[in-house]
Amino acid sequence: MPELPALQRRSVLGGALAGGALALGMGAAAPASAASPTTAAAAPRRRPGQKSMINVAYTPHRTVRVAVIGLGNRGAGMAPGWAAVPGCQVTAVCDIRADRAKRVADALVKAGRPRPAEYGGSADAYARMLRRDDIDLVYIATPWEFHHAQGRASLLAGKHVIVELPIATELDELWDLVDTSERTRRHLMLAENCSYGRNELAMLKMAHEGVFGDVTNGHGGYLHDLRELLFSDTYYTDAWRRRWHTRSTASFYAMHGLAPIAAAMDINRGDRLTTLSATATAPKGLADYRERFVPRGHPSWNETYVNGDLVTCMIETANGRVIRAEHDVSSPRPYSRINTLAGSRGIFEDYAGTSPTGARVYFEPDHSGHSWRDFAPYRKEFDHWLWRKLAEEAEGGGHGGMDYVLQWRTVQLMRAGLVPDIDVYDSAAWCAPVPLSVESLERNGRPVAVPDFTRGSWVNLRPGLDSRATEMPPV
């Protein structure tokens, strides 16, 4: 692969920063487009003593003691992963259904792990669990409507928190988690496993080392045919996920594709999301599936679906980049997170082509002739140190191993006393399209302003998922 002309990361990712920051002002929105965006409410004032959590390292932990709230498909599947990480112990498990807590505890014992304390049987069981003093990190895998309250309670109990997608569904809840994290001096992060995907991390390194030239645009999302699971009587407890399609028009889950693109663009680290405009197709897919495959006596026949099959968010950044984030779980289609990044020197497209990596590329000066090339040699060259180190251990882990990489890295950061790769500001920005898509759709697709959760600190370049190699402290 020919060596690229020197392009420093600061010039590639922050080229517009010096002039842009001066022109826009600290934390200011990008210039208004033809249809001026609605103005986001000013960032709430920090309370006395409340300070930013940017670049705040974890206090080193000899052992990371994890509690799990929510033991459905996701929580029960992740519990053994936490227990498998060196220097990590699952000390408590909780679900409103007590039998699930017992089942997970039994499985951990069968795997040779210490038995965790069990909590369940009531909606406030998690609050009782949080009183324990042998919990350092709370992992939350409950339905979306509980994430804000449970995340907030965990912070107030003095625990660090990692929350499945999204961390909250309303703007005031996102701000509340940011402020609560700052007041309690405890970290809260989105459990965005896709940010630790092998292709995604290689793409990130390539962007930061100048392979794309000036990064101009990206495309990510969550396109997953969930129709059969949404109508299952057992997969999503009490059909919680399908019911969201009856009460909200939001782009529920696009952060799986948005987060890796945002990381490659250094969002909150020299650039930020400024405006979002949303469109949605008609809600046809779930009703059509029900008509063809669901018996007439099923409870879903009392439901009316309002969430569009495909919700698309066009997001602009302060430095003039554009991100397209999509969500579709109601249509017949193969799985894709899209995962595309482009710039002045070439393009990467995931979920395309015939490469074993699933991706294809076209970069100058390496390529010519308007023909796609295999991503494999690039992934080998730019493989992130976490995958070089953990590929064998992660093999067989959930979602191609990225679940284990996320868990290992989180535990390592806490044990070594390092700054988290993903912080509460990243988590809030990546989840903001949930409520903002609703607002934009209510305004017939007009752009709406994205809050600056960093309160102006986005202009400062700093590390994130592009971390340097470090070791797990010995057990």
Side-chain angles (χ1 to χ4, degrees):
M1 199 177 302
E3 185 175 352
L4 287 166
L7 268 176
Q8 296 300 316
R9 177 172 181 261
R10 285 184 181 271
S11 68
V12 173
L13 293 169
L17 182 58
L22 290 172
L24 296 172
M26 294 287 284
S33 58
S36 297
T38 59
T39 303
R45 188 182 299 274
R46 285 189 170 110
R47 296 183 185 179
Q50 183 178 327
K51 297 183 296 184
S52 172
M53 290 295 287
I54 289 175
N55 291 329
V56 174
Y58 288 106
T59 300
H61 293 71
R62 179 182 178 88
T63 300
V64 175
R65 300 165 297 179
V66 174
V68 180
I69 303 176
L71 299 167
N73 295 295
R74 185 60 174 161
M78 289 287 277
W82 290 112
V85 177
C88 185
Q89 180 183 345
V90 177
T91 55
V93 292
C94 178
D95 194 281
I96 193 170
R97 289 163 171 76
D99 60 310
R100 289 181 172 177
K102 182 179 185 305
R103 187 158 57 247
V104 169
D106 288 346
L108 289 171
V109 171
K110 187 175 180 179
R113 312 297 181 188
R115 187 177 194 89
E118 301 167 33
Y119 290 82
S122 66
D124 65 349
Y126 77 92
R128 291 186 282 111
M129 184 188 72
L130 291 176
R131 300 182 192 130
R132 300 181 65 93
D133 60 7
D134 60 349
I135 299 172
D136 305 305
L137 176 69
V138 178
Y139 168 66
I140 297 172
T142 52
W144 304 331
E145 53 262 43
F146 304 119
H147 288 185
H148 166 251
Q150 292 170 346
R152 185 176 191 275
S154 299
L155 291 170
L156 292 172
K159 324 299 185 187
H160 298 291
V161 193
I162 180 167
V163 190
E164 282 295 338
L165 289 61
I167 61 169
T169 61
E170 302 292 340
L171 276 183
D172 60 343
E173 294 175 347
L174 293 172
W175 272 116
D176 185 46
L177 291 177
V178 169
D179 290 342
T180 305
S181 173
E182 292 185 346
R183 289 196 296 270
T184 60
R185 313 309 296 160
R186 294 295 183 269
H187 284 294
L188 180 144
M189 65 171 280
L190 182 70
E192 186 40 86
N193 57 346
C194 296
S195 291
Y196 287 95
R198 194 166 198 168
N199 283 5
E200 286 86 346
L201 284 175
M203 177 187 74
L204 171 80
K205 284 193 63 182
M206 291 164 64
H208 287 180
E209 294 187 31
V211 178
F212 292 87
D214 286 306
V215 174
T216 58
N217 68 94
H219 183 189
Y222 186 69
L223 309 178
H224 190 183
D225 182 359
L226 292 180
R227 293 171 301 163
E228 182 177 0
L229 296 179
L230 288 171
F231 285 100
S232 167
D233 290 330
T234 57
Y235 193 81
Y236 292 114
T237 304
D238 297 328
W240 69 264
R241 190 160 180 171
R242 188 181 73 240
R243 288 178 179 173
W244 271 94
H245 287 256
T246 70
R247 63 182 187 233
S248 177
T249 59
S251 175
F252 295 132
Y253 217 66
M255 60 285 289
H256 261 339
L258 170 61
I261 299 301
M265 291 182 177
D266 262 1
I267 298 302
N268 291 339
R269 290 163 174 78
D271 199 358
R272 80 171 188 92
L273 310 180
T274 55
T275 63
L276 177 150
S277 57
T279 60
T281 64
K284 300 291 188 181
L286 295 186
D288 178 73
Y289 184 91
R290 181 179 61 187
E291 178 70 32
R292 291 184 291 147
F293 300 112
V294 179
R296 288 283 171 173
H298 192 266
S300 65
W301 278 96
N302 296 318
E303 299 170 348
T304 300
Y305 305 112
V306 299
N307 190 263
D309 292 349
L310 175 66
V311 182
T312 300
C313 296
M314 296 297 294
I315 306 171
E316 297 183 2
T317 79
N319 289 346
R321 302 186 180 101
V322 175
I323 304 172
R324 187 164 90 248
E326 297 187 347
H327 178 268
D328 183 350
V329 298
S330 305
S331 304
R333 57 160 302 126
Y335 179 89
S336 173
R337 295 195 301 275
I338 308 167
N339 197 31
T340 295
L341 194 69
S344 59
R345 294 187 178 178
I347 184 169
F348 162 90
E349 283 193 355
D350 212 343
Y351 298 91
T354 58
S355 168
T357 65
R360 61 187 185 180
V361 296
Y362 187 88
F363 292 114
E364 295 175 344
D366 293 10
H367 307 144
S368 61
H370 306 281
S371 177
W372 290 103
R373 309 302 167 90
D374 190 356
F375 175 56
Y378 287 86
R379 192 172 83 171
K380 182 177 181 180
E381 180 178 354
F382 292 97
D383 210 13
H384 195 280
W385 72 268
L386 281 167
W387 277 97
R388 293 181 189 270
K389 183 179 185 65
L390 298 174
E392 187 173 333
E393 294 175 51
E395 187 175 358
H399 295 96
M402 62 189 180
D403 287 349
Y404 182 78
V405 175
L406 164 70
Q407 292 173 306
W408 188 96
R409 177 61 171 167
T410 302
V411 172
Q412 185 221 14
L413 289 165
M414 293 184 66
R415 295 191 65 220
L418 300 174
V419 175
D421 298 337
I422 299 169
D423 58 30
V424 69
Y425 310 102
D426 302 319
S427 305
W430 299 344
C431 295
V434 178
L436 292 178
S437 58
V438 175
E439 182 180 350
S440 178
L441 289 170
E442 288 175 347
R443 297 171 180 271
N444 296 316
R446 283 186 59 198
V448 296
V450 181
D452 173 18
F453 295 102
T454 73
R455 293 178 167 101
S457 294
W458 65 270
V459 298
N460 300 314
L461 287 170
R462 57 190 174 93
L465 288 152
D466 54 343
S467 56
R468 62 180 180 86
T470 50
E471 294 297 323
M472 175 75 80
V475 177

